Amino acid sequence: MDQTNLSLLQKLSKPTGRIDVVLDTDTYNEVDDQFALAYLLCSKEKANVKAICAAPFHNEKSLGPADGMEKSFQEIHHILKLMGREEYAEVVYRGSTTWMKDEKTPVQSEAAEKLAELAMGYTSQNPLYVVAIGAITNVASAMLLKPEIIDRMVIVWLGGNAHEWPDNREFNCQQDVAAARVVFGSGAALVQLPCAGVVSAFTTCAGELEMFLRGKNKLCDYLVDIVERDGAAESPYKTWTRVIWDVTAIGWLLDGDYMKDKLLPSPIPQYDHHYSFDPGRHFIRYVYAVNRDALFEDLFQKLSQVVL
């Protein structure tokens, strides 16, 4: 095995000890980014948060990617205030306001520039961990701005569907396929947590949230309220459950036995929202199962202990 492949496989192993982390999040898009952000900040024994970047999104909650990014930026600050962690406000950065127009042109933003600057301070042996839980525009743009950082990062991305899923029409991936193609094709150390077919099993419900989080603190009450609001509004069933997808990306970093993964050749996201596969491509780490109960137990325990 050549030295490049050996270095890649070493970085794709689960990290040991305390690590430096950047979180890239479309925080206002869903109800799960808020959980993931809070969970990361509650995991100081493992993660030293260096930056929090607002990612763009466009759906019924935004007028376009720029508006989605700005709403995410404001929601990050709202979560910090609820947690009494305003000291992190100085490391929150606005991200991309548009999608990438092609696979060679970065979208300039404060977040992309900061990520490129930060990553240059790391090495292949001591990489920066970048957890992305939205469209991956900011990360791909940083890589295009400063290609030297590709070997200095480990990217943990919740994006795309399971490789055996009939299509790849997943929100984070389909919004900016060009960015996804840049990241998957870069040769960077990448951990993929697919949505439909894998992480879609990571669900909770009103009864569970009321039992374990309601009344613990202002943060917990806010999280319960937004899940119950959207869960009830978007399901035709009284017995609704809600996927809290993004928490799993944080879970991969932690020491618990929260998921199963394996090494696979990097897939190729296509513009028709399917994958192509080439067995000769570099390896990525692919999560294929989540220990739902163990991860929720750790999440609920940490969130309920937030002291304001």
Side-chain angles (χ1 to χ4, degrees):
M1 181 179 293
D2 65 42
Q3 197 62 36
T4 300
N5 287 333
L6 180 61
S7 175
L8 177 62
L9 294 182
Q10 288 172 339
K11 284 187 287 185
L12 286 173
S13 300
K14 182 162 284 193
T16 58
R18 198 161 184 255
I19 55 174
D20 289 351
V21 179
V22 170
L23 180 65
D24 189 74
T25 164
D26 57 347
T27 327
Y28 195 77
N29 161 52
E30 259 276 11
V31 298
D32 51 346
D33 293 78
Q34 294 92 330
F35 279 82
L37 171 57
Y39 189 33
L40 179 63
L41 294 176
C42 287
S43 300
K44 292 192 295 182
E45 77 288 351
K46 183 68 178 184
N48 177 33
V49 178
K50 305 296 288 185
I52 306 167
C53 301
F57 75 90
H58 183 203
N59 59 14
E60 67 281 356
K61 291 185 177 181
S62 77
L63 301 175
D67 182 54
M69 184 280 296
E70 181 61 29
K71 286 177 175 173
S72 294
F73 179 82
Q74 299 300 331
E75 183 72 351
I76 291 167
H77 285 283
H78 183 216
I79 295 298
L80 295 180
K81 184 175 181 180
L82 286 173
M83 296 183 72
R85 304 300 297 275
E86 286 101 332
E87 70 269 21
Y88 284 99
E90 63 185 27
V91 296
V92 180
Y93 302 96
R94 287 182 168 89
S96 307
T97 57
T98 64
W99 313 123
M100 289 177 59
K101 66 179 184 180
D102 56 47
E103 296 170 34
K104 296 181 179 180
T105 308
V107 180
Q108 296 280 348
S109 72
E110 185 182 39
E113 292 167 3
K114 186 62 181 181
L115 176 55
E117 175 191 331
L118 274 174
M120 284 300 294
Y122 295 80
T123 66
S124 180
Q125 293 74 35
N126 179 35
L128 175 66
Y129 285 78
V130 180
V131 179
I133 51 178
I136 205 159
T137 313
N138 294 335
V139 179
S141 294
M143 294 166 77
L144 292 174
L145 287 170
K146 186 72 73 171
E148 300 97 312
I149 70 174
I150 290 172
D151 294 330
R152 303 167 189 245
M153 299 187 298
V154 175
I155 302 164
V156 182
W157 187 38
L158 185 130
N161 287 331
H163 292 184
E164 66 274 13
W165 202 254
D167 62 63
N168 197 30
R169 292 185 179 278
E170 184 278 320
F171 188 73
N172 291 347
C173 188
Q174 72 179 8
Q175 290 189 109
D176 198 338
V177 178
R181 286 170 62 89
V182 167
V183 172
F184 277 98
S186 67
L190 173 65
V191 180
Q192 183 189 13
L193 292 103
C195 292
V198 179
V199 181
S200 51
F202 192 70
T203 63
T204 188
C205 65
E208 184 174 53
L209 293 170
E210 292 288 338
M211 178 180 294
F212 291 107
L213 293 185
R214 177 68 76 189
K216 300 296 185 183
N217 50 55
K218 291 181 180 179
L219 169 71
C220 287
D221 285 345
Y222 176 71
L223 296 175
V224 173
D225 287 342
I226 60 175
V227 175
E228 291 185 350
R229 177 199 67 202
D230 285 9
E234 297 176 13
S235 174
Y237 306 108
K238 294 181 180 179
T239 55
W240 59 265
T241 60
R242 187 72 177 187
V243 178
I244 311 295
W245 322 78
D246 292 339
V247 166
T248 60
I250 308 303
W252 187 86
L253 295 175
L254 305 182
D255 291 329
D257 183 21
Y258 299 137
M259 51 202 68
K260 296 185 183 298
D261 54 39
K262 57 187 175 181
L263 294 172
L264 290 176
S266 179
I268 307 168
Q270 299 291 357
Y271 288 100
D272 67 355
H273 306 300
H274 293 84
Y275 292 116
S276 294
F277 298 95
D278 177 354
R281 296 255 287 184
H282 62 280
F283 283 108
I284 66 167
R285 189 163 291 281
Y286 175 83
V287 173
Y288 63 88
V290 177
N291 186 342
R292 181 257 179 223
D293 291 354
L295 184 52
F296 264 119
E297 181 169 294
D298 189 58
L299 172 69
F300 288 161
Q301 181 182 45
K302 287 179 176 176
L303 296 182
S304 65
Q305 292 175 352
V306 170
V307 178
L308 303 181

